[in-house]
Amino acid sequence: MLTTNVNNIKNIYLTESFPNNPKYFTQENISQMLVLPQGKPPIGSILSVSIGAEIISQRLVQTHIGVSNEGVISPGYKLIVEIKFKEKIRYSTKGCAEYVNVLNLESEIYSFSIALPCEICGVNTCELERRNKIQVIPYIEDVYTKLINPCTILQSITFFLNTVIK
């Protein structure tokens, strides 16, 4: 678990330490507007954000091998990864700093891809996926959270998806 303090908001990332020498990965960022559910007291200030990521599914798709005019390399396969974020936001109620509420949220599902070669360590990539030897591990790198108004939060999550071969 990693902890940072940004804009007087304590951020707790439910992640392991970052990998050494990652080979097959992607770094991504999502921004979202979070709206307080009806019936919840308005937000005075955000105290802390605890966030974790969950891989929902992954599938391997074959692509052409080559390099685009822009220099993008397509090595033969893409691992399509679907991920969602679960978080707990602790906040004080507007007008009453001593009253603390907790907002449990689950994001929509996002889809990302990681380029993989046709073979990894001499084994066909399709065979590795068929044998469930390819695992994607999410790492939260940063969370920016800003209160827009008492019922709306702007949030930006930067994360790293690392592919490991078991």
Side-chain angles (χ1 to χ4, degrees):
M1 180 170 14
L2 301 172
T3 303
T4 63
N5 196 327
V6 179
N7 294 337
N8 294 321
I9 299 171
K10 183 178 181 181
N11 291 310
I12 303 165
Y13 311 142
L14 307 176
T15 190
E16 303 172 21
S17 60
F18 292 100
N20 292 327
N21 304 316
K23 193 166 184 178
Y24 309 112
F25 63 89
T26 187
Q27 291 179 288
E28 301 289 345
N29 179 282
I30 61 161
S31 293
Q32 55 189 358
M33 294 295 274
L34 306 173
V35 179
L36 198 62
Q38 199 162 8
K40 282 281 197 182
I43 301 170
S45 64
I46 298 170
L47 304 173
S48 68
V49 177
S50 298
I51 188 164
E54 178 185 348
I55 302 297
I56 302 301
S57 69
Q58 67 183 49
R59 66 187 178 284
L60 193 64
V61 295
Q62 190 170 9
T63 62
H64 294 287
I65 298 172
V67 180
S68 74
N69 290 336
E70 296 83 20
V72 177
I73 299 170
S74 179
Y77 287 98
K78 281 188 181 177
L79 188 64
I80 307 298
V81 180
E82 292 179 331
I83 184 173
K84 71 178 172 182
F85 299 92
K86 294 182 178 182
E87 59 188 297
K88 184 183 292 187
I89 299 175
R90 289 181 60 245
Y91 68 94
S92 64
T93 303
K94 187 173 175 76
C96 183
E98 295 167 13
Y99 187 61
V100 176
N101 272 284
V102 176
L103 185 58
N104 290 301
L105 300 171
E106 194 170 288
S107 76
E108 60 187 73
I109 296 174
Y110 296 94
S111 186
F112 299 97
S113 66
I114 301 169
L116 295 177
C118 294
E119 286 188 352
I120 300 173
C121 299
V123 180
N124 181 287
T125 303
C126 277
E127 184 62 21
L128 290 170
E129 177 66 10
R130 189 184 66 72
R131 291 194 265 157
N132 294 318
K133 298 290 184 182
I134 300 175
Q135 179 183 13
V136 179
I137 303 171
Y139 299 88
I140 306 294
E141 292 184 301
D142 184 55
V143 176
Y144 173 79
T145 306
K146 181 178 180 180
L147 185 61
I148 302 299
N149 63 49
C151 294
T152 309
I153 300 168
L154 169 66
Q155 189 174 68
S156 179
I157 305 168
T158 303
F159 58 99
F160 182 91
L161 297 175
N162 188 39
T163 305
V164 295
I165 308 305
K166 301 187 266 181

